Amino acid sequence: GEDVEQSLFLSVREGDSSVINCTYTDSSSTYLYWYKQEPGAGLQLLTYIFSNMDMKQDQRLTVLLNKKDKHLSLRIADTQTGDSAIYFCAEKDNYKLTFGKGTLLTVNP
Amino acid sequence: EAQVTQNPRYLITVTGKKLTVTCSQNMNHEYMSWYRQDPGLGLRQIYYSMNVEVTDKGDVPEGYKVSRKEKRNFPLILESPSPNQTSLYFCASSSALDRDRNQPQHFGDGTRLSIL
Protein backbone atom coordinates (compact mmCIF):
# COMPACT_ATOMS: atom_id res chain seq x y z
CA GLY A 1 0.00 0.00 0.00
CA GLU A 2 0.88 3.63 -0.07
CA ASP A 3 3.27 4.98 2.51
CA VAL A 4 4.50 8.50 3.15
CA GLU A 5 7.43 9.16 5.46
CA GLN A 6 8.58 12.40 7.07
CA SER A 7 10.95 13.28 9.84
CA LEU A 8 8.99 14.22 12.95
CA PHE A 9 10.84 17.31 14.16
CA LEU A 10 12.75 20.27 12.73
CA SER A 11 14.08 23.25 14.65
CA VAL A 12 15.46 26.37 12.95
CA ARG A 13 16.41 29.91 13.87
CA GLU A 14 14.27 32.79 12.71
CA GLY A 15 15.48 34.10 9.35
CA ASP A 16 17.08 30.81 8.32
CA SER A 17 15.69 28.51 5.64
CA SER A 18 13.74 25.42 6.62
CA VAL A 19 13.73 22.26 4.54
CA ILE A 20 11.17 19.58 5.29
CA ASN A 21 11.64 16.28 3.51
CA CYS A 22 9.19 13.58 2.54
CA THR A 23 9.41 10.25 0.76
CA TYR A 24 6.54 8.30 -0.73
CA THR A 25 6.11 4.89 -2.24
CA ASP A 26 3.20 5.09 -4.66
CA SER A 27 4.62 5.65 -8.14
CA SER A 28 1.13 6.30 -9.52
CA SER A 29 0.69 9.42 -7.38
CA THR A 30 -0.61 12.25 -9.51
CA TYR A 31 -0.30 15.17 -7.11
CA LEU A 32 1.72 15.79 -3.99
CA TYR A 33 0.64 18.28 -1.39
CA TRP A 34 1.97 20.21 1.56
CA TYR A 35 -0.46 21.13 4.33
CA LYS A 36 0.18 23.30 7.38
CA GLN A 37 -1.54 22.83 10.71
CA GLU A 38 -1.14 25.49 13.38
CA PRO A 39 -1.84 24.56 17.02
CA GLY A 40 -5.53 23.88 17.58
CA ALA A 41 -6.40 24.63 13.97
CA GLY A 42 -7.43 22.70 10.89
CA LEU A 43 -5.44 21.90 7.78
CA GLN A 44 -4.33 24.68 5.50
CA LEU A 45 -3.24 23.79 1.98
CA LEU A 46 0.13 25.45 1.38
CA THR A 47 1.04 24.27 -2.07
CA TYR A 48 0.96 21.28 -4.37
CA ILE A 49 2.91 19.94 -7.29
CA PHE A 50 1.91 17.76 -10.19
CA SER A 51 3.95 14.61 -10.52
CA ASN A 52 5.43 15.60 -13.88
CA MET A 53 6.96 18.77 -12.46
CA ASP A 54 10.38 19.09 -10.81
CA MET A 55 9.94 22.32 -8.97
CA LYS A 56 7.32 24.84 -7.97
CA GLN A 57 7.94 28.19 -6.31
CA ASP A 58 5.36 30.30 -4.54
CA GLN A 59 6.75 33.34 -2.70
CA ARG A 60 8.79 31.97 0.23
CA LEU A 61 7.90 28.36 -0.55
CA THR A 62 9.81 26.11 -2.93
CA VAL A 63 8.74 22.54 -3.60
CA LEU A 64 11.22 20.13 -5.17
CA LEU A 65 10.16 16.76 -6.53
CA ASN A 66 12.53 13.95 -7.43
CA LYS A 67 10.18 11.46 -8.99
CA LYS A 68 12.88 8.85 -9.58
CA ASP A 69 13.73 8.74 -5.86
CA LYS A 70 10.12 9.49 -4.80
CA HIS A 71 11.40 12.37 -2.70
CA LEU A 72 9.58 15.62 -2.06
CA SER A 73 10.84 18.61 -0.15
CA LEU A 74 9.40 21.91 1.05
CA ARG A 75 11.79 24.81 1.53
CA ILE A 76 10.62 27.85 3.48
CA ALA A 77 12.88 30.84 2.96
CA ASP A 78 13.40 33.43 5.72
CA THR A 79 11.49 31.33 8.25
CA GLN A 80 9.39 33.34 10.69
CA THR A 81 7.95 32.47 14.11
CA GLY A 82 4.53 32.37 12.44
CA ASP A 83 5.75 29.41 10.40
CA SER A 84 5.88 27.27 13.55
CA ALA A 85 3.38 24.47 12.89
CA ILE A 86 3.05 20.85 11.85
CA TYR A 87 3.64 20.30 8.14
CA PHE A 88 2.08 17.33 6.40
CA CYS A 89 3.16 15.86 3.13
CA ALA A 90 0.39 14.00 1.25
CA GLU A 91 0.21 12.06 -1.97
CA LYS A 92 -2.90 11.72 -4.10
CA ASP A 93 -3.71 8.62 -6.08
CA ASN A 94 -7.07 8.96 -7.86
CA TYR A 95 -9.02 10.64 -5.06
CA LYS A 96 -7.40 9.20 -2.00
CA LEU A 97 -4.94 11.28 0.01
CA THR A 98 -2.29 9.46 2.02
CA PHE A 99 -0.62 11.63 4.64
CA GLY A 100 2.73 11.46 6.32
CA LYS A 101 2.85 11.64 10.11
CA GLY A 102 3.74 15.32 10.03
CA THR A 103 6.87 17.35 10.80
CA LEU A 104 6.75 19.71 13.76
CA LEU A 105 8.64 22.86 12.77
CA THR A 106 9.83 24.98 15.67
CA VAL A 107 11.19 28.43 14.87
CA ASN A 108 13.43 29.92 17.54
CA PRO A 109 13.80 33.69 17.79
CA GLU B 1 -17.87 30.97 0.18
CA ALA B 2 -16.74 27.39 -0.47
CA GLN B 3 -16.92 25.53 2.81
CA VAL B 4 -16.84 22.17 4.52
CA THR B 5 -18.71 22.49 7.80
CA GLN B 6 -18.38 20.01 10.65
CA ASN B 7 -20.47 19.88 13.81
CA PRO B 8 -19.87 19.76 16.65
CA ARG B 9 -16.37 21.22 16.88
CA TYR B 10 -15.84 19.72 20.33
CA LEU B 11 -17.58 16.90 22.16
CA ILE B 12 -16.90 15.10 25.42
CA THR B 13 -19.02 12.02 25.93
CA VAL B 14 -19.02 8.61 27.58
CA THR B 15 -18.33 5.11 26.35
CA GLY B 16 -21.25 3.48 24.55
CA LYS B 17 -23.35 6.58 23.94
CA LYS B 18 -24.09 6.80 20.22
CA LEU B 19 -22.96 10.00 18.53
CA THR B 20 -22.98 11.52 15.08
CA VAL B 21 -20.60 14.09 13.66
CA THR B 22 -22.12 15.93 10.74
CA CYS B 23 -20.29 17.14 7.65
CA SER B 24 -21.75 19.34 4.97
CA GLN B 25 -20.18 20.90 1.87
CA ASN B 26 -21.57 23.59 -0.42
CA MET B 27 -19.42 22.93 -3.50
CA ASN B 28 -21.49 20.15 -5.10
CA HIS B 29 -18.53 17.79 -4.66
CA GLU B 30 -18.95 14.13 -5.46
CA TYR B 31 -16.10 12.86 -3.26
CA MET B 32 -16.22 13.12 0.52
CA SER B 33 -14.00 11.54 3.13
CA TRP B 34 -13.44 11.26 6.87
CA TYR B 35 -10.01 11.20 8.53
CA ARG B 36 -8.85 10.90 12.08
CA GLN B 37 -5.69 12.56 13.33
CA ASP B 38 -3.69 11.14 16.21
CA PRO B 39 -0.34 12.38 17.57
CA GLY B 40 2.56 10.72 15.79
CA LEU B 41 0.25 8.95 13.33
CA GLY B 42 -0.80 11.75 11.00
CA LEU B 43 -4.17 11.59 9.29
CA ARG B 44 -5.70 8.25 8.47
CA GLN B 45 -8.73 7.73 6.29
CA ILE B 46 -11.79 6.19 7.96
CA TYR B 47 -14.39 6.08 5.19
CA TYR B 48 -14.96 7.76 1.88
CA SER B 49 -17.77 8.25 -0.60
CA MET B 50 -17.54 8.70 -4.34
CA ASN B 51 -21.15 9.88 -4.68
CA VAL B 52 -24.63 9.53 -3.24
CA GLU B 53 -25.25 6.03 -1.87
CA VAL B 54 -21.65 4.99 -2.68
CA THR B 55 -19.42 4.56 0.36
CA ASP B 56 -16.33 2.49 1.06
CA LYS B 57 -13.92 1.71 3.87
CA GLY B 58 -10.68 3.56 4.27
CA ASP B 59 -7.70 2.42 6.29
CA VAL B 60 -9.24 2.50 9.79
CA PRO B 61 -13.02 1.89 9.48
CA GLU B 62 -13.55 -0.26 12.59
CA GLY B 63 -16.09 1.20 15.00
CA TYR B 64 -17.45 3.74 12.52
CA LYS B 65 -20.35 4.00 10.08
CA VAL B 66 -21.17 6.57 7.43
CA SER B 67 -24.05 7.35 5.14
CA ARG B 68 -24.43 9.42 1.97
CA LYS B 69 -28.10 9.98 1.37
CA GLU B 70 -27.58 13.46 -0.07
CA LYS B 71 -24.68 14.82 -2.05
CA ARG B 72 -23.87 17.62 0.38
CA ASN B 73 -23.89 15.59 3.63
CA PHE B 74 -21.63 12.82 4.88
CA PRO B 75 -22.22 12.10 8.58
CA LEU B 76 -19.84 9.98 10.65
CA ILE B 77 -21.59 7.71 13.14
CA LEU B 78 -20.07 6.11 16.21
CA GLU B 79 -22.66 3.55 17.33
CA SER B 80 -20.86 2.60 20.54
CA PRO B 81 -17.91 4.95 21.10
CA SER B 82 -14.90 3.74 23.01
CA PRO B 83 -11.94 5.63 24.51
CA ASN B 84 -9.64 4.60 21.63
CA GLN B 85 -11.82 6.71 19.35
CA THR B 86 -10.76 9.84 21.19
CA SER B 87 -9.21 11.82 18.37
CA LEU B 88 -9.37 14.84 16.08
CA TYR B 89 -11.62 14.17 13.10
CA PHE B 90 -11.58 15.90 9.73
CA CYS B 91 -14.09 15.79 6.92
CA ALA B 92 -12.95 16.62 3.39
CA SER B 93 -14.52 16.94 -0.03
CA SER B 94 -13.41 17.31 -3.62
CA SER B 95 -14.75 17.11 -7.12
CA ALA B 96 -14.54 13.67 -8.72
CA LEU B 97 -14.73 15.02 -12.27
CA ASP B 98 -11.77 14.41 -14.58
CA ARG B 99 -11.44 18.09 -15.42
CA ASP B 100 -11.01 18.87 -11.70
CA ARG B 101 -8.30 16.29 -11.01
CA ASN B 102 -5.79 18.98 -10.11
CA GLN B 103 -8.09 20.47 -7.49
CA PRO B 104 -7.15 19.75 -3.89
CA GLN B 105 -9.45 18.45 -1.20
CA HIS B 106 -11.21 20.99 0.98
CA PHE B 107 -11.06 20.26 4.69
CA GLY B 108 -13.39 21.15 7.52
CA ASP B 109 -12.03 22.78 10.68
CA GLY B 110 -12.04 19.51 12.61
CA THR B 111 -14.03 17.93 15.44
CA ARG B 112 -12.27 17.06 18.66
CA LEU B 113 -13.91 14.04 20.30
CA SER B 114 -13.13 12.85 23.81
CA ILE B 115 -14.64 9.52 24.85
CA LEU B 116 -14.44 8.90 28.60
Side-chain angles (χ1 to χ4, degrees), chain B residues 18-98:
Chain B
K18 180 179 177 179
L19 68 92
T20 299
V21 185
T22 64
C23 174
S24 181
Q25 49 93 5
N26 63 359
M27 295 163 280
N28 201 36
H29 284 163
E30 295 79 19
Y31 182 86
M32 297 185 75
S33 180
W34 276 103
Y35 299 87
R36 61 177 287 174
Q37 182 185 0
D38 301 290
L41 295 178
L43 279 84
R44 294 176 292 168
Q45 190 181 52
I46 303 170
Y47 267 95
Y48 66 95
S49 169
M50 293 299 298
N51 214 323
V52 175
E53 302 292 1
V54 181
T55 64
D56 212 343
K57 295 177 181 178
D59 298 317
V60 288
E62 295 77 20
Y64 303 95
K65 284 174 56 177
V66 291
S67 71
R68 190 87 184 273
K69 293 185 171 58
E70 304 161 290
K71 198 172 185 181
R72 64 183 293 124
N73 295 324
F74 190 45
L76 179 70
I77 303 153
L78 285 72
E79 293 269 4
S80 183
S82 62
N84 65 10
Q85 293 177 298
T86 292
S87 188
L88 178 59
Y89 291 85
F90 288 101
C91 180
S93 74
S94 67
S95 170
L97 302 177
D98 271 350

Side-chain angles (χ1 to χ4, degrees), chain A residues 7 10 12 17-21 71 73-76 79 103 105:
Chain A
S7 53
L10 177 65
V12 301
S17 291
S18 307
V19 179
I20 303 172
N21 293 302
H71 182 267
S73 67
L74 173 70
R75 179 176 181 269
I76 305 172
T79 313
T103 299
L105 174 64

Side-chain angles (χ1 to χ4, degrees), chain A residues 48-104:
Chain A
Y48 64 93
I49 188 167
F50 186 42
S51 58
N52 70 353
M53 296 170 65
D54 298 323
M55 185 181 93
K56 181 178 180 181
Q57 186 151 5
D58 184 1
Q59 298 181 333
R60 290 192 297 124
L61 305 178
T62 303
V63 179
L64 294 177
L65 175 61
N66 181 330
K67 195 172 180 183
K68 174 174 163 289
D69 294 339
K70 299 191 182 70
H71 182 267
L72 181 73
S73 67
L74 173 70
R75 179 176 181 269
I76 305 172
D78 187 25
T79 313
Q80 303 298 307
T81 53
D83 294 323
S84 293
I86 301 175
Y87 290 81
F88 291 97
C89 166
E91 63 170 354
K92 183 179 180 184
D93 181 15
N94 285 320
Y95 307 100
K96 182 181 178 183
L97 280 180
T98 300
F99 287 85
K101 293 179 172 52
T103 299
L104 175 62

